[in-house]
Amino acid sequence: MAQFGVLIYVGDSAHAPDASSDDIAECDEHADEVTAANAMVGAWAFTPRNMATSVRGAGVTAGPFVDAADIVAGFYIIEAPDLDAAVAIARTNPALKAGGGVEIRPIHSGGMVERAPGESMPEAPAERDLLLQRLAGQRRHILDQLAGLSEEQLRRPVLPSGWSCVGLVQHLTLSDERYWFEVVMAGKPLDFWPEGDNADWQVPDAVPAESVIADYRAAIDRSDAYIAGLDLDAPPAQPEDWWAEAGLSFPNLRAVLLHVIVETATHAGHLDAVRELLDRKQYIVL
């Protein structure tokens, strides 16, 4: 028996994360009918277009790969004696009644991967690589915006909130690199935190700015070593109760990486404003 792939094209997928059983009832009924006819091999529904992410070369954009009126909302594999029989089955898809359509293609090869009981899916290298590239890029942004500033400039408060560049770097070292990767993910003790309100932003006059920046670089190296030994799905070794109280959740390394990327990018933007006020240098993000 030949196998055919049926791609479903509609304006958008009905299978939103919060879709009710009524929202997808017609799709389920069709799948049940094809299954009852012993034609269904497997079926997969995609989420709506606003949850799509597309990769073109080195660029990553939100949304479908092709910005068209109809998108691929899902697909299924059927068995049929020939193309005519496959077309007859595909014609019953509810997408046609909704103004969409289907595309039928013969299957050349492929199949589901057999896994031993309890064996997990291997981590997708592309996802891990992308997260680490984005984190490295934001760290580089921070360091590039500090390069060329004098000791006085690094310590000079510029914005009304009163923080300095060197204070921001110490904050990133303690509150982001060391706390999230060394303490939360690796389970090391939080024995490096300075005493006092906002103490992670306060750098004593006796501590050279160059030393603070070197500490940031060293913390990055340690963080990368911890990350290298963990899967993206690895849970925190030392979760904290205050996360839930603050409405936050960090179930695994993936969530922690995303948080630190956003945190570092936010502070990179702060540095952009200060650097332009100090000497008019701008950091161009492409």
Side-chain angles (χ1 to χ4, degrees):
M1 189 81 72
Q3 291 188 340
F4 298 85
V6 181
L7 285 74
I8 306 164
Y9 287 85
V10 290
D12 209 350
S13 171
H15 290 76
D18 59 351
S20 68
S21 57
D22 290 340
D23 294 332
I24 58 176
E26 196 170 12
C27 300
D28 289 345
E29 289 171 7
H30 172 67
D32 290 342
E33 290 170 0
V34 177
T35 301
N38 294 320
M40 182 71 81
V41 176
W44 293 264
F46 294 137
T47 50
R49 67 169 69 220
N50 63 0
M51 301 187 72
T53 300
S54 301
V55 180
R56 294 173 177 81
V60 179
T61 57
F65 192 83
V66 177
D67 186 14
D70 291 331
I71 61 168
V72 178
F75 70 98
Y76 52 104
I77 309 299
I78 59 174
E79 286 187 338
D82 53 37
L83 178 59
D84 289 341
V87 169
I89 295 170
R91 278 187 184 278
T92 65
N93 192 286
L96 278 77
K97 293 188 291 183
V102 294
E103 177 182 332
I104 303 100
R105 288 197 216 173
I107 298 294
H108 177 277
S109 57
M112 297 294 292
V113 176
E114 295 291 336
R115 301 192 181 280
E119 182 182 2
S120 61
M121 288 285 288
E123 188 175 292
E127 180 188 10
R128 185 184 187 91
D129 291 347
L130 181 61
L131 287 170
L132 296 182
Q133 287 169 9
R134 293 294 181 263
L135 178 58
Q138 297 307 324
R139 290 163 166 171
R140 186 167 56 251
H141 187 159
I142 295 288
L143 293 168
D144 286 351
Q145 283 295 64
L146 298 171
L149 292 176
S150 67
E151 180 83 15
E152 187 277 331
Q153 288 173 318
L154 287 166
R155 292 181 175 277
R156 186 197 312 171
V158 175
L159 299 180
S161 49
W163 56 270
S164 66
C165 294
V166 72
L168 183 147
V169 177
Q170 179 172 274
H171 166 75
L172 284 170
T173 300
L174 303 180
S175 182
D176 289 281
E177 298 293 341
R178 296 198 65 182
Y179 172 72
W180 286 106
F181 298 121
E182 182 177 325
V183 177
V184 171
M185 293 308 305
K188 305 296 182 182
L190 184 64
D191 56 5
F192 52 80
W193 202 262
E195 295 183 2
D197 294 339
N198 296 322
D200 55 322
W201 287 83
Q202 310 302 319
V203 179
D205 292 340
V207 179
E210 181 180 346
S211 175
V212 177
I213 296 172
D215 286 346
Y216 180 53
R217 292 182 183 274
I220 288 172
D221 290 341
R222 287 195 299 271
S223 294
D224 287 345
Y226 294 132
I227 293 168
L230 296 169
D231 294 334
L232 288 182
D233 292 323
Q238 197 166 200
E240 300 234 40
D241 293 338
W242 68 264
W243 298 347
E245 295 169 3
L248 302 173
S249 175
F250 302 98
N252 49 36
L253 175 61
R254 179 184 290 102
V256 169
L257 281 169
L258 286 169
H259 176 76
V260 176
I261 289 169
V262 171
E263 178 82 0
T264 308
T266 299
H267 288 315
H270 295 153
L271 273 181
D272 287 343
V274 168
R275 184 65 192 259
E276 187 168 355
L277 290 169
L278 285 170
D279 63 4
R280 299 186 179 181
K281 178 186 175 184
Q282 295 180 328
Y283 189 94
I284 306 300
V285 179
L286 301 177

